[in-house]
Amino acid sequence: MNQPNVKAEMIKMLDALPDELTWGDLQYHIYVRQKIERGMQAVEAGRTFSQEEVEKHFEELMKKWR
């Protein structure tokens, strides 16, 4: 994944947000964007689990708690 032009992406984000934005709103949107970017990088690097793998792991955890 190519490193995005952060400034250009931020300008797009700001243009899409409402004018009555608070600093807290802006921080939240930046936080979410960072998490999405990290998730996309994890997918490209193969650091993900299938739905079946997650369900199996969850079932094993639940057995330990019973």
Side-chain angles (χ1 to χ4, degrees), residues 6 14 20 26-27 31 34-35 38 40 45 52 56:
V6 175
L14 287 171
E20 56 278 346
L26 181 58
Q27 287 177 315
Y31 170 81
Q34 288 174 321
K35 293 297 181 181
R38 286 184 188 155
M40 291 171 63
E52 292 79 20
K56 181 179 177 185

Side-chain angles (χ1 to χ4, degrees), residues 35 37-50 53:
K35 293 297 181 181
E37 291 289 330
R38 286 184 188 155
M40 291 171 63
Q41 290 169 358
V43 168
E44 287 189 3
R47 297 186 319 262
T48 60
F49 299 97
S50 69
E53 290 171 317

Side-chain angles (χ1 to χ4, degrees), residues 3-42:
Q3 181 67 21
N5 180 333
V6 175
K7 183 177 180 179
E9 292 298 316
M10 177 57 74
I11 290 169
K12 285 183 200 176
M13 180 189 297
L14 287 171
D15 286 342
L17 293 172
D19 289 338
E20 56 278 346
L21 187 71
T22 67
W23 286 110
D25 294 336
L26 181 58
Q27 287 177 315
Y28 171 76
H29 286 281
I30 292 170
Y31 170 81
V32 170
R33 178 60 188 260
Q34 288 174 321
K35 293 297 181 181
I36 291 169
E37 291 289 330
R38 286 184 188 155
M40 291 171 63
Q41 290 169 358

Side-chain angles (χ1 to χ4, degrees), residues 51-62:
Q51 181 70 29
E52 292 79 20
E53 290 171 317
V54 172
E55 289 174 3
K56 181 179 177 185
H57 180 72
F58 184 73
E59 287 175 13
E60 292 170 1
L61 285 176
M62 293 305 294

